[in-house]
RNA sequence: GGGGCGGUAGCUCAGCUGGUUAGAGCAGGGGACUCAUAAUCCCUGGGUCGCGGGUUCGAGUCCCGCCCGCCCUACCA
């Protein structure tokens, strides 16, 4: 058996405006999964992109008085630029308007589905902002409820896709779990929708209505491929599906996991339309569709059009990348919308990262400096120091993340007796890998971070309980036994810190590196303690995050 | 109109297949300690579990109705 291959994607957002925090949630979750799978040894491809071909983009560009391509390029840049402030380990970015792989792929996908495509007359009231038809009853005062604009009467012949013929197969695939939809609430929703009957859906627009923007229907230049068809295709077009490239075989056809992260608003497209398209085209389906709910800002719906938005890049610049990531991973429940309030972000940053984690590492490193001149004592003995700088191996983490007893962390047999009272801490360290693994298998980011956090809590508690400063005092007073005990305590603590750095890698990559640096001896000596996080005092712009 | 999901302590949330006194974190109050970023640790939570019925020996946890919020969806006149 070869190395497991895992393909992870985010949705590709419209680029009619700059990115907001809602997308940051999705892409950070995806990033955590990607990093986690890499640590497990999987081959991972983590992909995102931008949906440039939406008519919304055209309209937004017109409103801004900018050429469409130029406008789209500008916003797409802002999305792609999220990598830095959010610390995203993205492997590939596809832009549907510019990437030559995309058009070729979409065209091939269209042809592959030819048996299910047919022309049909259609007419109705259409809102370009929503890119959908409305019935008169749905309108408020004759205007689009969403945009407040007057929909236009559209009558044309479009291409339709025979979604209806896939209802039974889709239902079976989803209810059997072969196409896994998480959380289960969302899966049930999809099953209910399918059970209610599926209608064929329109997959093209007249070129005129699309203002010439988008990918023409192969062989029918009067029509442009519907943006959803186009956009969903990105998951394979970026893999060179259009040219039958190696990536397609490696990451789609032959991948062990094909994981899509999506927002609840586009569940249907991903869990029904997209799989049906793939079935039609004779392609494998995604294995997992992970659905997140929405973020609001100060109780108001985040919406580009209403101007209520939170710029994740600005937030990261203001409060720090990992503070933003931490809030997203730690506070957002898997079901239910979450209100973003900057005070809560600050509270998480201060209470947990600065006071909890940062202070823990700082006090441990400081103690080793104060009591041992920066030399980490050797494990299980009262004399000598570590011969090598500690790494993941010392924490027992590097070998895997299974929860099985066979992979329990080897914290050193002598520590248990030399460091009484550390059972809770050691248990937290031992259990963390399994708990994290289990949580992320279920895409439960809060549960995963909680498992990491148990170590922080236990470590701080242990210090207060064992009172190393008193051991140090006894040692100074000539108590030789105290020396051995203090050694053991410090070893347990520095190991816990290293374990933290290790476990935190998928969640807070920057912090993880800084912890590792703090806890790694150079020339037998730890570097001087340096705060991991600065406490955030002013909840207003102006402050700068720590380096 | 239909479907789905939420509505649990001031705030943010856990509560598996129904079962002894409904939990955690934060905030608030009290105390301890000093290694550490005025950090940490301990003690302190008496909340109609949205409302009203019902099933049951027993329901936050199942059933029905209703209210509020959000998502999706719908040609009824």
């Amino acid at each position: 058996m070869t190395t497991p291959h895992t393909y992870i994607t985010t949705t590709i957002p419209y680029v009619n405006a700059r990115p907001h925090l809602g997308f940051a949630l999705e892409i950070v979750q995806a990033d955590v999964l990607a990093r986690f799978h890499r640590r497990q040894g999987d081959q991972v491809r983590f992909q995102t992109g931008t949906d440039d071909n939406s008519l919304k983009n055209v309209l937004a560009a017109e409103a801004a008085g900018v050429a469409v391509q130029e406008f789209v390029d500008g916003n797409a840049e802002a999305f792609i630029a999220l990598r830095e402030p959010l610390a995203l380990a993205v492997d590939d970015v596809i832009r549907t308007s510019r990437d030559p792989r995309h058009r070729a792929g979409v065209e091939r996908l269209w042809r592959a589905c030819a048996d299910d495509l047919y022309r049909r007359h259609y007419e109705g009231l259409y809102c370009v902002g929503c890119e959908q038809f409305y019935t008169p009853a749905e309108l408020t005062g004759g205007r689009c409820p969403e945009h407040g604009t007057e929909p236009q009467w559209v009558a044309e012949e479009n291409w339709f896709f025979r979604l209806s013929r896939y209802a039974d197969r889709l239902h079976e695939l989803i209810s059997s779990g072969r196409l896994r939809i998480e959380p289960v609430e969302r899966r049930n929703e999809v099953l209910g929708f399918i059970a209610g009957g599926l209608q064929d859906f329109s997959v093209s627009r007249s070129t005129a209505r699309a203002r010439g923007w988008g990918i023409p229907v192969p062989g029918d230049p009067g029509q442009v491929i519907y943006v959803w068809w186009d956009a969903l295709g990105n998951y394979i077009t970026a893999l060179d599906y259009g040219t039958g490239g190696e990536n397609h075989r490696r990451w789609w056809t032959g991948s062990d996991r094909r994981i899509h992260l999506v927002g609840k608003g586009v569940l249907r497209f991903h869990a029904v339309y997209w799989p049906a398209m793939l079935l039609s085209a004779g392609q494998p389906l995604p294995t997992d569709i992970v659905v997140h709910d929405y973020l609001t800002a100060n109780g108001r719906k985040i919406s580009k059009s209403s101007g209520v938005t939170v710029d994740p890049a600005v937030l990261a610049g203001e409060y720090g990348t990992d503070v933003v990531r931490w809030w997203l991973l730690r506070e957002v429940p898997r079901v239910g919308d979450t209100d973003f309030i900057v005070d809560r972000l600050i509270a998480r940053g201060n209470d947990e990262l600065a006071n909890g984690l940062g202070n823990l590492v700082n006090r441990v490193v400081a103690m080793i400096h104060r009591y041992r001149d920066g030399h980490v004592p050797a494990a299980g003995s009262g004399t000598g120091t570590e011969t090598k700088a500690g790494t993941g191996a010392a924490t027992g983490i590097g070998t895997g993340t299974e929860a099985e007893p066979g992979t329990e962390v080897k914290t050193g047999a002598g520590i248990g007796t030399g460091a009484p009272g550390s059972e809770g801490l050691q248990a937290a360290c031992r259990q963390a890998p399994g708990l994290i693994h289990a949580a992320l298998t279920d895409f439960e980011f809060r549960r995963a971070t909680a498992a990491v956090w148990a170590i922080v809590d236990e470590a701080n508690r242990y210090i207060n309980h064992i009172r190393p400063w008193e051991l140090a005092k006894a040692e100074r007073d000539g108590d030789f036994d105290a020396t051995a005990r203090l050694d053991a305590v410090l070893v347990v603590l520095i190991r816990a810190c290293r374990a933290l750095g290790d476990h935190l890698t998928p969640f807070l990559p920057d912090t993880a590196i800084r912890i590792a640096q703090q806890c790694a001896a150079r020339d037998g000596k730890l570097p001087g303690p340096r705060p991991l996080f600065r406490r955030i005092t002013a909840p207003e712009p102006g402050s700068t995050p720590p380096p």
Side-chain angles (χ1 to χ4, degrees), chain A residues 76 132 238 249 327 382 399 468:
Chain A
Q132 72 170 46
R249 191 200 63 71
W327 183 82
T399 50

Side-chain angles (χ1 to χ4, degrees), chain A residues 331 342-353 355 536:
Chain A
E331 191 146 302
V342 74
D343 285 351
R344 296 194 61 82
L345 175 105
I346 293 171
R348 283 288 182 188
N350 281 343
D351 296 345
E352 297 194 326
L353 296 182
N355 296 347
I536 302 163

Side-chain angles (χ1 to χ4, degrees), chain A residues 228-309:
Chain A
W228 266 107
W229 180 282
D230 167 343
L232 288 166
N234 94 87
Y235 301 123
I236 57 174
T237 65
L239 301 176
D240 298 321
Y241 169 71
T243 54
E246 166 65 14
N247 278 335
H248 175 247
R249 191 200 63 71
R250 184 173 177 201
W251 296 105
W252 192 263
T253 313
S255 204
D256 298 272
R257 300 282 295 280
R258 295 172 289 273
I259 305 174
H260 295 322
L261 276 88
V262 310
K264 66 177 176 182
V266 294
L267 209 209
R268 167 101 42 80
F269 295 103
H270 287 80
V272 179
Y273 290 18
W274 174 231
M277 288 160 61
L278 290 167
L279 286 173
S280 177
Q283 291 291 311
L285 269 43
T287 58
D288 302 81
I289 296 175
V290 186
V291 189
H292 65 262
D293 283 4
Y294 288 161
L295 258 32
T296 55
N298 298 308
R300 298 177 63 195
K301 180 177 176 176
I302 293 181
S303 141
K304 295 162 184 167
S305 49
S306 73
V308 176
T309 186

Side-chain angles (χ1 to χ4, degrees), chain A residues 166-182 187 191 252 255-260 270-271 275 278-279 283-290 443:
Chain A
Y166 292 99
D168 291 344
R169 288 172 69 186
L170 287 173
H171 193 93
E172 159 59 20
L173 285 163
I174 294 169
S175 58
S176 72
R178 278 198 283 163
L179 200 193
R180 181 180 175 209
I181 299 172
E182 287 287 335
R187 186 194 68 157
L191 287 175
W252 192 263
S255 204
D256 298 272
R257 300 282 295 280
R258 295 172 289 273
I259 305 174
H260 295 322
H270 287 80
L278 290 167
L279 286 173
Q283 291 291 311
L285 269 43
T287 58
D288 302 81
I289 296 175
V290 186
F443 309 108

